[in-house]
Structure formats: C-alpha cells, structure tokens
Amino acid sequence: MSEKTVKLLNPHLETAPSDYLYHLDINVANTGDTTELQHKFGDVKFICVGGTGSRMRQLALYLRDVLGVQESGDPVDLCERGQRYAMYKVGPVLCVSHGIGSASFSVVLHELLKLVKYARCQEPVILRIGTCGGLGVPPGTVVATKNAFNGLLRNEHEIAILGQRVVRPAQFSEDVNKDVIAFGVDANDGFQTISANTMGTDCFYEGQGRIDGAICEYTEKDKMDFLQKCHDLGIRNIEMEASMFASVTQKVGVKAGDVCVTLIDRLKGDQVSITMDQKHEFEQRPFLVVGRYIMKLLQQ
Ligand SMILES: O=P(O)(O)O[C@H]1O[C@H](CO)[C@@H](O)[C@H]1O
Ligand SMILES: O=c1cc[nH]c(=O)[nH]1
C-alpha cells in the first residue's frame, strides 16, 4: 500500500477475509479486494464529524456551496440502514454524526478509520465540528483545540481494555490546529475563533462540574475552584469527545482537529439557556471556519 494510506494497528485485519462495519452498515466482503469501496470513498480527503445527524446534513449542504459541488436535492444518508449514525458525502468530504460522548464516537471512529483504510484514502484529515461549554469566553466563541485534557485534567485518554486500565496520550495534530486558525478565520466574522485547550469529559453533568444534574455531592465553591483550575491550565472549552478523539487518531497517525462553538460561559452558570434559533446560528460558525480551511487545503 502507498505511504499515504492509513495504517491501522491491528494485525488481525490483515488476514480477515471480510469485515462488516456494523454501525455504518457497510460490508467489506473481501478485504483483499476493496475495489468497490475505493470507487465510492477513495477520493475522501476530509471527514467532518459532529454530534447530530441534522448538523451533519446542514454541513453537507453548506459544503456543497463552498466547494461548488454540482448536486441538488436532499443529501443522501449513506448509513441510513444502520440506524445509528448519519453519513453524507460531498465531493472529497464525508460528514458523519457521532452521537453524544466518547463511547458513541469511538464506535464510529473505529469504523471510519477502517473505511478509509479499505478505500485507500490518501492522508485523510478528521475534523470534529461540535458544540461545547466555554470557560471565560463569550458564548458563540469558536475554539480550535490545542491540547485535549480528560476529566482528570490529564492530557491523555484512559480506557479499560481486557480488564486493564490503558492510558494513551491525547495530542491533536499541531498542523491542523495552526492551519484552522491561519486559513479558517476571517477578521469580519463577527465572532472570535481562538486556539486553546479543551477538556473532554465522560459526563455532561457531574463530569463537567455542573450543580444541576440528578446527582451532585459538591458545593458551588468546589465547582468554581475546579473550573478555575481548568482555566489555569489554558482550558477554554469543555465537551465530551476531545481526549478520546485525539488519542485514537494520534495512535493510528491520522491528522485530526476539534473545532467547537461555545454555547455558554461556565464561569457564569450551568444551564444552556440560549434559544434554539441562537444555537442553530452558533452551530454554523465552525462551518465557516472549517469550510475555509478545507477549501485552502484542497487548493494547495
Ligand atoms: O454538539 P456535539 O457535537 O454533540 O458536542 C457536545 O454536545 C454534547 C452534549 O450536549 C456532547 O457530545 C458534547 O461534546
Ligand atoms: O456545557 C456544555 C455545552 C455543550 N456541550 C457540552 O459538553 N457541555
């Protein structure tokens, strides 16, 4: 295989006669001959992922315009039969939903990494386009992640494998972070885009130090002390996937980045209380940033 294709770290796949990407409902009948997949997905250069199917559909429509892809009508969900995740293809970009949190995202991430390997995609870049809570930045700020911290405030990801605690580093590609800021930001955007650290937690409520979950065994002061500690580490946003995403992509050597818009300033409260209209407007902001980044890279 050429140098630029994805190399996975699983020797068992080399001898598997077939592979079923179950949650995507994509069957790789003969892993030795993946001609059909190469035909369908071989041109993919970017995989944009985000929590919801509707955001990914919106993104697909937006990228159609930006990339000048001559297609009309509703984007087709290529994974509809899998009933778990949505996947749209716009020229060289896949837009795929991942659900809430690392557990859900890691499932589709493994399958997407296998997909790009079988399809022999050349150096694909994976970008998460998400929402998050902010720390000391105004709601609507876009944050491109520099370092990904887990809920233990460590720049790593922890996972239980065969009954053992396995800890792996969680670094995103420096190039992607730099280029997203260099190519994605326009002075006239009307909102700020910053590069900062991100905390990815396993829980929206207690894991993010909220006091409005069904359970809370700490005080408002404990919460504020924790959030201040996060802030001191350069963390400016909190979401639920960054550390897993950084660690899995780093492990297999695929470049990745996390670009999220803040919906709330957690130094001021816990409840996301912006209107749904405002949320939808905010959700478009990373589209602009990532759209410009993708265009620039495609032109190079
Ligand atoms: O908007 P998405 O992309 O889902 O991201 C954020 O929103 C969800 C929580 O509401 C978590 O998945 C978090 O990471
Ligand atoms: O506070 C927030 C807002 C969105 N997503 C999160 O994970 N946390």
Side-chain angles (χ1 to χ4, degrees):
M1 263 195 211
S2 97
E3 284 292 316
K4 293 182 168 182
T5 54
V6 173
K7 284 169 197 61
L8 300 181
L9 293 176
N10 181 359
H12 304 287
L13 291 178
E14 304 304 329
T15 50
S18 63
D19 194 0
Y20 179 42
L21 310 181
Y22 161 54
H23 301 86
L24 300 179
D25 187 39
I26 294 178
N27 199 15
V28 192
N30 179 351
T31 51
D33 174 10
T34 59
T35 316
E36 208 183 311
L37 279 185
Q38 290 176 46
H39 214 230
K40 207 165 165 188
F41 295 105
D43 64 337
V44 168
K45 299 218 166 349
F46 297 93
I47 302 178
C48 295
V49 294
T52 68
S54 65
R55 188 188 310 148
M56 292 301 105
R57 185 180 163 282
Q58 286 295 320
L59 178 65
L61 286 168
Y62 175 75
L63 289 176
R64 235 188 221 174
D65 273 357
V66 171
L67 305 181
V69 173
Q70 300 297 315
E71 275 169 19
S72 54
D74 243 16
V76 178
D77 177 356
L78 301 174
C79 295
E80 196 179 5
R81 280 162 45 96
Q83 294 188 353
R84 291 283 186 181
Y85 303 97
M87 177 193 282
Y88 304 97
K89 186 170 184 302
V90 189
V93 186
L94 279 187
C95 302
V96 186
S97 66
H98 61 58
I100 286 192
S102 293
S104 172
F105 184 13
S106 83
V107 173
V108 73
L109 186 54
H110 275 264
E111 292 182 12
L112 286 170
L113 287 166
K114 293 200 290 177
L115 178 65
V116 292
K117 174 204 152 78
Y118 293 135
R120 306 186 69 159
C121 300
Q122 305 287 304
E123 294 187 328
V125 175
I126 311 183
L127 299 158
R128 186 175 118 71
I129 289 149
T131 65
C132 57
L135 267 188
V137 294
T141 302
V142 174
V143 182
T145 302
K146 218 188 305 178
N147 288 313
F149 288 74
N150 64 12
L152 297 168
L153 298 184
R154 297 198 184 117
N155 186 199
E156 57 193 29
H157 176 62
E158 248 185 62
I159 178 172
I161 300 176
L162 300 184
Q164 303 289 321
R165 185 170 155 261
V166 175
V167 180
R168 293 179 178 147
Q171 307 286 341
F172 281 119
S173 155
E174 260 181 59
D175 288 355
V176 173
N177 180 262
K178 269 199 231 132
D179 289 350
V180 164
I181 298 293
F183 307 140
V185 179
D186 186 305
N188 299 317
D189 274 338
F191 58 87
Q192 255 202 317
T193 300
I194 61 170
S195 168
N197 296 334
T198 297
M199 175 166 68
T201 67
D202 290 329
C203 169
F204 183 85
Y205 288 98
E206 292 170 280
Q208 298 188 4
R210 283 187 156 81
I211 57 163
D212 61 347
I215 302 170
C216 180
E217 298 180 305
Y218 42 82
T219 64
E220 171 73 20
K221 180 177 181 314
D222 296 336
K223 166 188 121 178
M224 291 312 292
D225 288 349
F226 173 69
L227 293 180
Q228 191 54 52
K229 199 166 161 190
C230 294
H231 194 270
D232 293 345
L233 285 169
I235 293 170
R236 293 293 176 271
N237 68 329
I238 307 174
E239 42 86 284
M240 296 180 65
E241 292 85 11
S243 57
M244 180 285 299
F245 181 31
S247 101
V248 171
T249 49
Q250 179 182 7
K251 186 85 182 162
V252 296
V254 168
K255 286 189 176 181
D258 201 2
V259 184
C260 297
V261 66
T262 64
L263 304 181
I264 176 179
D265 181 355
R266 289 297 316 288
L267 297 182
K268 297 192 173 147
D270 291 344
Q271 299 241 313
V272 178
S273 53
I274 56 171
T275 64
M276 276 299 152
D277 283 348
Q278 197 162 32
K279 180 177 177 242
H280 293 142
E281 192 269 302
F282 283 177
E283 279 183 306
Q284 313 285 311
R285 294 182 175 188
F287 291 9
L288 300 177
V289 174
V290 167
R292 293 188 197 114
Y293 163 82
I294 289 177
M295 269 308 279
K296 181 75 180 183
L297 262 72
L298 288 176
Q299 286 160 356
Q300 282 180 349

